[in-house]
Amino acid sequence: MPPILLASSSPYRAQLLAKLNLPFIQASPELDETHLPHEVPESLVKRLSLAKAEALSETYPEYYIIGSDQSLCAPNGEILGKPHTVENAIQQLSLLSGNRVTFFTGLSLISPKSCSESMAKQTVVVPFIVHFKELSKAEIEAYVRAEMPLDCAGSFKSEGLGISLFEKLEGEDPNSLIGLPLIKLCQLFSNVGINPLLMQKTSTKP
């Protein structure tokens, strides 16, 4: 089984990756995630997802390393990341209320240094469209108090009560909203000869 490293301390991404039933470890990269001047969300997540994986490649040279990053652009042009505070979360959801927003997830897979250079670094960006309901101030404040989505880009948890904020979702993979687009990850794995379906251990009864 090839060793796999998730370059993130996020429990949400770990829960998603665990769905593939492949053994992996986690490590958090030390990285400045500030966006560059005039950088758009799609470019930001592409750059940061690869940077997160690259930041750990020297420490874990024989691992397949997964990096991921998320961002979206509010209707006023502001790039929204993790809110970190209740006040920021309320402000973000107020900006998103009643709007159609494209949420971008960057995904990178770095192969071990001993592997072929042709697929050494793979990076993709997965878009997902979210249609927000018209939300009252009371609804936004109640939601933030209930789930405290302070470590989630856009200030919502679509796998929980956050689903009640939406009118409609459009995209290839709803897992991308939570933090890790598994359909695309399986494709990147396939490009380097990793097939999760063929790497499952057969269960045996005692």
Side-chain angles (χ1 to χ4, degrees):
M1 184 71 68
I4 296 171
L5 169 69
L6 177 61
S8 171
S9 59
S10 167
Y12 314 116
R13 290 192 177 108
Q15 289 168 7
L16 289 174
L17 185 54
K19 289 183 179 183
L20 299 183
N21 202 29
L22 298 174
F24 67 93
I25 63 172
Q26 281 183 269
S28 182
E30 296 296 327
L31 196 69
D32 181 1
E33 299 186 27
T34 305
H35 65 268
L36 303 176
H38 310 298
E39 191 171 32
V40 297
E42 189 171 5
S43 299
L44 172 66
V45 299
K46 185 176 183 179
R47 176 175 64 85
L48 289 181
S49 68
L50 182 58
K52 288 177 180 180
E54 288 178 329
L56 295 173
S57 62
E58 292 298 326
T59 307
Y60 299 90
E62 294 308 313
Y63 279 75
Y64 287 91
I65 305 177
I66 302 164
S68 186
D69 192 74
Q70 297 172 297
S71 188
L72 68 156
C73 188
N76 66 354
E78 180 183 352
I79 293 180
L80 303 184
K82 298 174 183 178
H84 298 299
T85 69
V86 168
E87 292 75 15
N88 287 342
I90 291 172
Q91 181 182 31
Q92 285 192 1
L93 289 175
S94 297
L95 288 172
L96 299 175
S97 173
N99 286 289
R100 174 186 181 275
V101 181
T102 302
F103 194 95
F104 295 98
T105 302
L107 176 68
S108 293
L109 179 66
I110 292 182
S111 297
K113 291 186 177 297
S114 58
C115 291
S116 168
E117 288 296 316
S118 62
M119 284 292 180
K121 297 179 182 179
Q122 303 180 74
T123 301
V124 295
V125 176
V126 180
F128 201 91
I129 298 172
V130 178
H131 297 257
F132 281 85
K133 294 178 182 176
E134 289 281 357
L135 300 165
S136 68
K137 182 180 179 182
E139 288 174 322
I140 291 172
E141 291 177 347
Y143 170 71
V144 172
R145 286 196 303 270
E147 286 207 316
M148 296 296 285
L150 308 186
D151 58 349
C152 301
S155 303
F156 61 82
K157 298 180 182 181
S158 61
E159 70 275 27
L161 183 60
I163 199 70
S164 66
L165 304 173
F166 312 140
E167 285 185 346
K168 185 169 66 171
L169 301 175
E170 299 177 70
E172 293 181 1
D173 189 347
N175 291 306
S176 63
L177 277 184
I178 306 173
L180 197 65
L182 293 182
I183 293 174
K184 192 62 69 174
L185 178 59
C186 286
Q187 292 173 3
L188 299 189
F189 273 149
S190 177
N191 291 340
V192 292
I194 298 175
N195 186 338
L197 291 174
L198 299 180
M199 294 185 174
Q200 302 300 313
K201 291 183 177 180
T202 304
S203 60
T204 56
K205 295 182 179 180

